[in-house]
CSV table of all heavy atoms in Angstrom, one decimal:
chain,number,residue,atom,x,y,z
L,435,TRP,N,189.0,103.5,119.5
L,435,TRP,CA,187.6,103.1,119.4
L,435,TRP,C,187.1,102.8,120.8
L,435,TRP,O,185.9,103.0,121.1
L,435,TRP,CB,187.4,101.9,118.5
L,435,TRP,CG,187.7,102.3,117.1
L,435,TRP,CD1,188.8,102.1,116.4
L,435,TRP,CD2,186.8,103.0,116.3
L,435,TRP,NE1,188.7,102.6,115.2
L,435,TRP,CE2,187.5,103.2,115.0
L,435,TRP,CE3,185.5,103.5,116.4
L,435,TRP,CZ2,187.0,103.9,114.0
L,435,TRP,CZ3,185.0,104.2,115.3
L,435,TRP,CH2,185.7,104.4,114.1
L,436,ILE,N,188.0,102.3,121.7
L,436,ILE,CA,187.6,102.0,123.1
L,436,ILE,C,187.0,103.2,123.8
L,436,ILE,O,185.9,103.2,124.4
L,436,ILE,CB,188.7,101.4,123.9
L,436,ILE,CG1,189.2,100.2,123.1
L,436,ILE,CG2,188.3,101.1,125.3
L,436,ILE,CD1,190.4,99.5,123.7
L,437,TYR,N,187.7,104.3,123.6
L,437,TYR,CA,187.2,105.6,124.2
L,437,TYR,C,185.8,105.9,123.7
L,437,TYR,O,184.9,106.3,124.4
L,437,TYR,CB,188.2,106.7,123.9
L,437,TYR,CG,189.5,106.7,124.7
L,437,TYR,CD1,190.6,107.4,124.2
L,437,TYR,CD2,189.7,105.9,125.8
L,437,TYR,CE1,191.8,107.4,124.9
L,437,TYR,CE2,190.9,105.8,126.4
L,437,TYR,CZ,191.9,106.5,126.0
L,437,TYR,OH,193.1,106.5,126.6
L,438,ALA,N,185.7,105.8,122.3
L,438,ALA,CA,184.4,106.1,121.7
L,438,ALA,C,183.3,105.2,122.3
L,438,ALA,O,182.2,105.7,122.7
L,438,ALA,CB,184.5,105.9,120.2
L,439,VAL,N,183.6,103.9,122.4
L,439,VAL,CA,182.6,103.0,123.0
L,439,VAL,C,182.2,103.4,124.4
L,439,VAL,O,181.1,103.5,124.8
L,439,VAL,CB,183.1,101.6,122.9
L,439,VAL,CG1,182.2,100.6,123.7
L,439,VAL,CG2,183.2,101.1,121.5
L,440,ILE,N,183.3,103.7,125.2
L,440,ILE,CA,183.0,104.1,126.6
L,440,ILE,C,182.2,105.4,126.7
L,440,ILE,O,181.3,105.5,127.5
L,440,ILE,CB,184.4,104.3,127.3
L,440,ILE,CG1,185.0,103.0,127.7
L,440,ILE,CG2,184.2,105.1,128.6
L,440,ILE,CD1,186.3,103.0,128.2
L,441,LEU,N,182.4,106.3,125.8
L,441,LEU,CA,181.6,107.6,125.8
L,441,LEU,C,180.1,107.2,125.6
L,441,LEU,O,179.3,107.8,126.2
L,441,LEU,CB,182.1,108.5,124.7
L,441,LEU,CG,183.4,109.3,125.0
L,441,LEU,CD1,183.9,110.0,123.8
L,441,LEU,CD2,183.2,110.3,126.1
L,442,VAL,N,179.9,106.3,124.6
L,442,VAL,CA,178.5,106.0,124.3
L,442,VAL,C,177.8,105.2,125.5
L,442,VAL,O,176.7,105.5,125.9
L,442,VAL,CB,178.4,105.1,123.0
L,442,VAL,CG1,177.0,104.7,122.8
L,442,VAL,CG2,178.9,106.0,121.9
L,443,ILE,N,178.6,104.2,126.0
L,443,ILE,CA,178.0,103.4,127.1
L,443,ILE,C,177.7,104.3,128.3
L,443,ILE,O,176.6,104.2,128.9
L,443,ILE,CB,179.0,102.3,127.6
L,443,ILE,CG1,179.2,101.3,126.5
L,443,ILE,CG2,178.6,101.7,128.9
L,443,ILE,CD1,180.2,100.2,126.8
L,444,SER,N,178.6,105.2,128.6
L,444,SER,CA,178.4,106.1,129.8
L,444,SER,C,177.2,107.0,129.6
L,444,SER,O,176.5,107.3,130.5
L,444,SER,CB,179.7,106.9,130.0
L,444,SER,OG,179.3,108.2,130.5
L,445,SER,N,176.9,107.4,128.3
L,445,SER,CA,175.7,108.2,128.1
L,445,SER,C,174.5,107.4,128.5
L,445,SER,O,173.5,107.9,129.1
L,445,SER,CB,175.6,108.6,126.7
L,445,SER,OG,176.5,109.7,126.4
L,446,LEU,N,174.5,106.1,128.2
L,446,LEU,CA,173.4,105.2,128.5
L,446,LEU,C,173.2,105.1,130.0
L,446,LEU,O,172.1,105.2,130.6
L,446,LEU,CB,173.6,103.8,127.9
L,446,LEU,CG,173.5,103.8,126.4
L,446,LEU,CD1,173.8,102.4,125.8
L,446,LEU,CD2,172.1,104.3,125.9
L,447,LEU,N,174.4,104.9,130.7
L,447,LEU,CA,174.3,104.8,132.2
L,447,LEU,C,173.8,106.1,132.8
L,447,LEU,O,173.0,106.0,133.7
L,447,LEU,CB,175.7,104.5,132.7
L,447,LEU,CG,176.3,103.1,132.4
L,447,LEU,CD1,177.7,103.0,132.8
L,447,LEU,CD2,175.5,102.0,133.0
L,448,THR,N,174.3,107.2,132.3
L,448,THR,CA,173.8,108.5,132.8
L,448,THR,C,172.3,108.6,132.6
L,448,THR,O,171.6,109.1,133.5
L,448,THR,CB,174.5,109.6,132.0
L,448,THR,OG1,175.9,109.4,132.0
L,448,THR,CG2,174.3,110.9,132.8
L,449,ALA,N,171.8,108.1,131.4
L,449,ALA,CA,170.4,108.2,131.2
L,449,ALA,C,169.6,107.4,132.2
L,449,ALA,O,168.6,107.8,132.7
L,449,ALA,CB,170.1,107.6,129.8
L,450,ILE,N,170.2,106.2,132.6
L,450,ILE,CA,169.5,105.4,133.6
L,450,ILE,C,169.3,106.2,134.9
L,450,ILE,O,168.2,106.3,135.4
L,450,ILE,CB,170.3,104.1,133.9
L,450,ILE,CG1,170.4,103.2,132.7
L,450,ILE,CG2,169.7,103.3,135.1
L,450,ILE,CD1,171.2,102.0,132.8
L,451,TYR,N,170.4,106.8,135.4
L,451,TYR,CA,170.1,107.4,136.7
L,451,TYR,C,169.4,108.7,136.7
L,451,TYR,O,168.7,109.0,137.6
L,451,TYR,CB,171.4,107.4,137.6
L,451,TYR,CG,172.6,108.2,137.1
L,451,TYR,CD1,172.6,109.6,137.2
L,451,TYR,CD2,173.7,107.5,136.6
L,451,TYR,CE1,173.8,110.2,136.8
L,451,TYR,CE2,174.8,108.1,136.2
L,451,TYR,CZ,174.8,109.5,136.3
L,451,TYR,OH,176.0,110.2,135.9
L,452,PHE,N,169.5,109.4,135.6
L,452,PHE,CA,168.7,110.6,135.5
L,452,PHE,C,167.2,110.4,135.2
L,452,PHE,O,166.3,111.1,135.8
L,452,PHE,CB,169.3,111.6,134.5
L,452,PHE,CG,170.3,112.5,135.2
L,452,PHE,CD1,171.6,112.4,134.9
L,452,PHE,CD2,169.9,113.4,136.1
L,452,PHE,CE1,172.6,113.2,135.5
L,452,PHE,CE2,170.9,114.2,136.8
L,452,PHE,CZ,172.2,114.1,136.4
L,453,PHE,N,166.9,109.4,134.4
L,453,PHE,CA,165.5,109.1,134.1
L,453,PHE,C,164.8,108.5,135.3
L,453,PHE,O,163.6,108.7,135.5
L,453,PHE,CB,165.4,108.2,132.9
L,453,PHE,CG,165.6,109.0,131.6
L,453,PHE,CD1,166.4,108.6,130.6
L,453,PHE,CD2,165.0,110.3,131.4
L,453,PHE,CE1,166.7,109.3,129.5
L,453,PHE,CE2,165.2,111.0,130.3
L,453,PHE,CZ,166.1,110.6,129.3
L,454,ARG,N,165.6,107.8,136.2
L,454,ARG,CA,165.0,107.4,137.4
L,454,ARG,C,164.5,108.5,138.3
L,454,ARG,O,163.4,108.5,138.8
L,454,ARG,CB,166.0,106.5,138.2
L,454,ARG,CG,165.4,105.8,139.4
L,454,ARG,CD,166.5,104.9,140.0
L,454,ARG,NE,167.7,105.7,140.2
L,454,ARG,CZ,168.4,105.6,141.3
L,454,ARG,NH1,168.1,104.9,142.3
L,454,ARG,NH2,169.6,106.3,141.4
L,455,VAL,N,165.4,109.6,138.3
L,455,VAL,CA,165.0,110.8,139.1
L,455,VAL,C,163.7,111.4,138.4
L,455,VAL,O,162.7,111.7,139.1
L,455,VAL,CB,166.1,111.8,139.1
L,455,VAL,CG1,165.7,113.1,139.8
L,455,VAL,CG2,167.3,111.2,139.8
L,456,LEU,N,163.8,111.5,137.1
L,456,LEU,CA,162.6,112.2,136.4
L,456,LEU,C,161.4,111.4,136.6
L,456,LEU,O,160.3,112.0,136.8
L,456,LEU,CB,162.9,112.4,134.9
L,456,LEU,CG,164.0,113.4,134.6
L,456,LEU,CD1,164.3,113.5,133.1
L,456,LEU,CD2,163.7,114.7,135.2
L,457,GLU,N,161.5,110.1,136.6
L,457,GLU,CA,160.3,109.2,136.9
L,457,GLU,C,159.7,109.6,138.2
L,457,GLU,O,158.5,109.7,138.3
L,457,GLU,CB,160.8,107.8,136.8
L,457,GLU,CG,159.6,106.8,137.0
L,457,GLU,CD,160.1,105.4,137.4
L,457,GLU,OE1,161.3,105.2,137.3
L,457,GLU,OE2,159.3,104.6,137.8
L,458,HIS,N,160.5,109.7,139.2
L,458,HIS,CA,160.0,110.0,140.6
L,458,HIS,C,159.3,111.4,140.6
L,458,HIS,O,158.3,111.6,141.2
L,458,HIS,CB,161.1,109.9,141.6
L,458,HIS,CG,161.3,108.5,142.2
L,458,HIS,ND1,162.3,107.7,141.7
L,458,HIS,CD2,160.6,107.8,143.1
L,458,HIS,CE1,162.2,106.6,142.4
L,458,HIS,NE2,161.2,106.6,143.2
Side-chain angles (χ1 to χ4, degrees):
Chain L
W435 293 100
I436 301 176
Y437 290 162
V439 171
I440 283 175
L441 284 169
V442 175
I443 291 178
S444 149
S445 285
L446 294 177
L447 292 174
T448 314
I450 292 176
Y451 58 80
F452 271 110
F453 284 131
R454 189 174 50 135
V455 176
L456 292 181
E457 183 199 347
H458 274 99

